[in-house]
Amino acid sequence: YIPVYHWARYNFCSPAEFIERLKGANTWWYLTHIAIAALLAAYKGEKGNAPRWFHPVYRYFYPGHLLILGLLRHLVFRI
């Protein structure tokens, strides 16, 4: 969880501040954000090719695995 204030403070700084922060303890965080920004910049807005069987797996996997994790949490921690 990163509050919006901290997100904006770290992402909308001057280039000089950004370079100084790269030297700090959060180097991995910044490198991953640069890589994600590069991937998003390379996106051309086209839909990729996926096999027909993948669509239902993609659609139901996310809520299904959250349901399983929620049930496990409920059973293990009794919350």
Side-chain angles (χ1 to χ4, degrees):
Y1 171 73
I2 299 174
V4 174
Y5 168 76
H6 294 294
W7 180 83
R9 191 178 76 183
Y10 285 110
N11 286 311
F12 297 113
C13 61
S14 69
E17 281 182 88
F18 186 77
I19 291 170
E20 284 299 317
R21 291 181 185 184
L22 273 177
K23 297 175 186 174
N26 292 330
T27 304
W28 183 250
W29 189 85
Y30 286 108
L31 291 176
T32 55
H33 278 66
I34 290 170
I36 291 169
L39 288 173
L40 288 174
Y43 179 63
K44 297 178 182 175
E46 299 173 1
K47 187 176 179 180
N49 295 328
R52 190 175 181 100
W53 61 266
F54 185 70
H55 295 290
V57 172
Y58 178 76
R59 185 174 194 168
Y60 297 113
F61 174 76
Y62 185 73
H65 94 276
L66 288 179
L67 176 68
I68 291 169
L69 290 175
L71 290 172
L72 285 173
R73 180 179 178 210
H74 179 73
L75 293 172
V76 172
F77 297 109
R78 306 272 186 209
I79 296 177

